[in-house]
Amino acid sequence: IDPWLGDRAAFAAVDLGDATPTAVVVVQVKDDAKAESGLHQLTTCGDTPVTDLGYDVHDGWAVLAQSQQVADTVVAKTMTASLADDATYQKWTKAVGEAGVVHAYASHDAGRIAAQQLGPMLGGGLFGPSGESLSSSASGTAQSSAYHSTLATSAAAGDNPLTQGLSAFKGGAATLRFTGDGLELAAAGDGSSPALSRLTGTTGGELVSRL
C-alpha cells in the first residue's frame, strides 16, 4: 500500500435512509490506478475473497463501505451535494478554528439518532426518570426486570436528561491540534437546550483542569 496510500483519512456515519446510519471510510490516495489495483489485491488475496467490502477510487480518494452498492450510492450523492457547502457544518467548524490532526463534526441529526439508539440502553439502569444514577439490585430477576421495563419506557419517552439533550442537539464540531509545545482540544456546539445545560452546566473547565 506504500506506493499509493496518502496522508489523510476520514470516517463518516452517512444517512442513506436506513434505520441506522451507514459507516463509510474515505482514504486519500497518491495514485488512483495503483490504489485500485492494490485494493483489488487486498480483497482477493486470501482463500476466500472479501465480499462485504465495496470501494470506489477517484480524484485522489478511495471510498470504502460495507458493500459496493453503498460505496456507489455515497459517491453518487457527493456529485450533487457536499458537506462543505452545508451552513451548519460551516458554522461549527469555523467556531473551533483551524483543523488539527483530528477534526470531527456532528450534524443535528446525530443527536436525534443517538437518542433513539441510546434510549433503551439508558433505560436499562443508567438513568432514572429524573436522571439520577441507579445501582444494581440483588433482590432477584423479577425486580430487576421491573426496573428495566419501567426505565426503558421512561427513556423511550425522553424522560431522562441525556436523551432529552441529545434530541435537542443542533450540531457541533471539535478539533485536536498541536500549538507550540502543547496539545489543544477545541470544541464548539449548541448549548441552548435546557436538558443539555443541566448535564454540562458550567463545570467543563473544572473537569478538564482535574483531568
Side-chain angles (χ1 to χ4, degrees):
I1 63 176
D2 185 64
W4 55 266
L5 187 64
D7 299 319
R8 299 174 65 88
F11 170 83
V14 182
D15 184 4
L16 296 180
D18 299 324
T20 58
T22 301
V24 177
V25 176
V26 184
V27 179
Q28 185 185 45
V29 301
K30 293 181 288 190
D31 186 301
D32 286 8
K34 290 182 179 179
E36 185 87 36
S37 175
L39 286 169
H40 176 73
Q41 292 180 40
L42 288 172
T43 55
T44 58
C45 65
D47 294 333
T48 304
V50 178
T51 58
D52 57 350
L53 175 69
Y55 59 88
D56 183 285
V57 182
H58 68 283
D59 299 334
W61 297 93
V63 178
L64 312 176
Q66 63 191 35
S67 70
Q68 191 60 48
Q69 180 181 359
V70 170
D72 292 342
T73 300
V74 169
V75 171
K77 286 182 176 294
T78 62
M79 299 299 179
T80 59
S82 171
L83 181 62
D85 298 326
D86 182 81
T88 306
Y89 173 83
Q90 293 174 354
K91 173 184 178 180
W92 295 121
T93 54
K94 180 180 179 180
V96 296
E98 183 180 357
V101 291
V102 178
H103 202 57
Y105 165 73
S107 73
H108 64 279
D109 285 328
R112 173 181 56 80
I113 293 171
Q116 293 173 351
Q117 298 295 319
L118 292 175
M121 183 190 306
L122 296 178
L126 292 178
F127 291 95
S130 61
E132 70 271 15
S133 298
L134 294 180
S135 59
S136 59
S137 170
S139 300
T141 305
Q143 184 177 0
S144 177
S145 297
Y147 267 121
H148 179 80
S149 176
T150 301
L151 294 174
T153 301
S154 297
D159 287 339
N160 75 64
L162 184 54
T163 53
Q164 288 178 0
L166 288 171
S167 297
F169 180 67
K170 295 183 180 179
T175 190
L176 183 69
R177 55 180 169 245
F178 291 99
T179 56
D181 58 355
L183 184 63
E184 178 182 80
L185 172 63
D190 174 66
S192 63
S193 164
L196 198 58
S197 297
R198 285 200 301 271
L199 282 174
T200 58
T202 57
T203 61
E206 181 181 346
L207 292 174
V208 171
S209 297
R210 291 178 181 175
L211 176 64

